[in-house]
Amino acid sequence: MFRGLVILLVVAGHTFEISNIQFDTFGERLAGNFVNGATTTFVFLSGFLFHHVFYKKFDYAKFVKGKALKVLVPYVVLSTIAIIITIISGRHFSEYFAPSGNGLVEGWLTPYVKYFVTGRVLTAYWYVPFIFCTFLISPLHMLFIRLPNGVQLALIVVFYGISALMHRPVSNINLIQNVAYAIGPYFLGIWCSINKQAIYAKFEGREWLPFSAFAAILLTQTVLGYSGNFHKPAFEWGGLDLMLLQKAALAFFLMTFLHKFEDRNWWVIDTLAAVSFAIFFIHPWFLRVIDAYEKKVGYNDENWPLYFLATITITFLCAAIALLAKKVLGKNSRLLIGY
């Protein structure tokens, strides 16, 4: 259920652009700050699942191979198609990615490598290179799991402090900064899995505590005029990344609140959870097509009804495509869409 709700938030955060939402009013900034930043919650969940699913029988080679088949292979296939289309069309994310010449190296290979390493060829694809690098350093996560509880908490505080000061990289292009930024949320997810029974017992009937923390930070960043995620070069001063802290509180709230519904069958949310990676891989293609059409016809009106319609429609179309692909291709579908 957790993963199903988070992937819905991820898609919702990306449909703001095609709906031309400007975030001019307090209410719009509040909505944007609530929805945006969901990938950090996804990182928390990845850390939680790393301990919950893989820790007891951890095999590094088997773990990396499984993640490569489910995450890296679909990324290679889909990003390569997108990169080829981008180079041919000439619609580059920025001048940094544009070819510097007409030859094979300058015109094709260099732009390909830049796009592939950063994932900036499609919305959200930046997440894949950094999360796979996170999977590659999983022996460090195993070491973290074996540390005393006090040391674990100290490391979480330290890395959250570093991330809160460092922020996300500009346009999410810096792979190393993305990996470093995610260490705190990933560690927190692991720690919450290790201590989940104690956490559930402690917060039973007190779920309002993490919710209050989440709401307080959300209101604070909105009142202060902040809108969306915090991005900057790693070593420049830019204040505290309140979005990082807000999403930590939200993750803790969702973990404790949704626990009471674990034994219930929520077919829609459970299905979204099952196909979440496929939704992640597919939805940027819908966004690209819609964005291209809007630019072609010159449409740039702010449209909240379009936002809600696009979010729900794209999410469920992606889920339907994933289920159809699974039915047609069987287990081979994971090599194409991660499911």
Side-chain angles (χ1 to χ4, degrees):
M1 182 181 293
F2 193 150
R3 186 162 51 179
L5 291 175
V6 172
I7 194 61
L8 185 59
L9 283 177
V10 169
V11 177
H14 295 151
T15 51
F16 280 129
E17 185 173 352
I18 61 171
S19 307
N20 302 300
I21 305 301
Q22 300 303 308
F23 305 109
D24 293 328
T25 68
F26 180 86
E28 288 178 340
R29 289 197 302 273
L30 186 70
N33 287 332
F34 166 62
V35 173
N36 282 315
T39 47
T40 302
T41 314
F42 224 81
V43 172
F44 168 91
L45 184 58
S46 293
F48 188 99
L49 292 175
F50 175 78
H51 173 265
H52 182 70
V53 176
F54 298 102
Y55 168 64
K56 289 185 178 179
K57 297 182 179 180
F58 182 72
D59 181 301
Y60 181 72
K62 186 177 180 180
F63 174 75
V64 172
K65 180 181 178 181
K67 293 300 181 182
L69 290 174
K70 188 173 182 180
V71 178
L72 191 59
V73 172
Y75 175 72
V76 171
V77 174
L78 295 174
S79 66
T80 297
I81 295 172
I83 292 169
I84 292 173
I85 293 172
T86 300
I87 294 175
I88 292 174
S89 69
R91 290 182 57 204
H92 293 280
F93 181 78
S94 69
E95 278 299 314
Y96 170 76
F97 295 96
S100 57
N102 297 320
L104 177 62
V105 175
E106 298 89 349
W108 287 91
L109 186 58
T110 301
Y112 179 88
V113 171
K114 289 180 178 179
Y115 275 123
F116 185 84
V117 172
T118 63
R120 280 286 24 166
V121 68
L122 287 172
T123 298
Y125 272 35
W126 63 269
Y127 183 87
V128 180
F130 108 77
I131 199 63
F132 193 74
C133 287
T134 299
F135 296 147
L136 289 177
I137 60 174
S138 56
L140 294 179
H141 305 143
M142 294 294 292
L143 177 62
F144 173 81
I145 292 171
R146 298 186 181 105
L147 292 173
N149 184 65
V151 177
Q152 290 175 340
L153 289 172
L155 287 174
I156 290 171
V157 171
V158 167
F159 281 108
Y160 257 94
I162 292 172
S163 297
L165 293 172
M166 179 174 62
H167 299 192
R168 292 187 180 195
V170 176
S171 299
N172 290 316
I173 287 177
N174 189 320
L175 177 60
I176 296 175
Q177 189 173 343
N178 274 327
V179 174
Y181 182 88
I183 292 175
Y186 201 86
F187 276 180
L188 180 61
I190 291 173
W191 183 85
C192 284
S193 177
I194 294 172
N195 299 281
K196 59 182 179 294
Q197 295 305 327
I199 293 171
Y200 293 148
K202 185 76 172 179
F203 285 91
E204 185 177 4
R206 300 186 183 93
E207 295 86 358
W208 61 271
L209 288 171
F211 179 81
S212 297
F214 155 71
I217 301 171
L218 173 62
L219 287 171
T220 298
Q221 66 186 117
T222 306
V223 168
L224 292 176
Y226 294 115
S227 179
N229 295 307
F230 290 64
H231 296 268
K232 69 174 183 63
F235 299 107
E236 289 185 4
W237 169 252
L240 288 178
D241 185 340
L242 297 179
M243 183 68 82
L244 174 74
L245 305 179
Q246 182 230 115
K247 288 302 182 272
L250 177 61
F252 207 81
F253 165 68
L254 290 176
M255 173 192 168
T256 54
F257 178 73
L258 295 177
H259 168 64
K260 63 179 66 177
F261 303 108
E262 285 180 354
D263 58 346
R264 299 188 186 182
N265 182 20
W266 301 80
W267 183 82
V268 174
I269 298 299
D270 291 343
T271 300
L272 292 181
V275 301
S276 58
F277 247 111
I279 294 173
F280 184 88
F281 277 121
I282 299 169
H283 85 274
W285 289 90
F286 283 101
L287 299 177
R288 181 168 182 143
V289 170
I290 295 171
D291 179 65
Y293 175 76
E294 289 183 342
K295 284 183 169 60
K296 183 178 180 180
V297 301
Y299 180 81
N300 56 9
D301 295 338
E302 185 177 53
N303 194 327
W304 276 100
L306 173 62
Y307 168 73
F308 290 109
L309 179 63
T311 299
I312 297 301
T313 302
I314 290 173
T315 300
F316 285 97
L317 278 176
C318 291
I321 291 170
L323 294 172
L324 179 61
K326 187 74 169 181
K327 189 170 184 178
V328 173
L329 300 175
K331 64 180 182 180
N332 293 322
S333 67
R334 69 175 180 168
L335 301 176
L336 180 61
I337 57 172
Y339 171 69

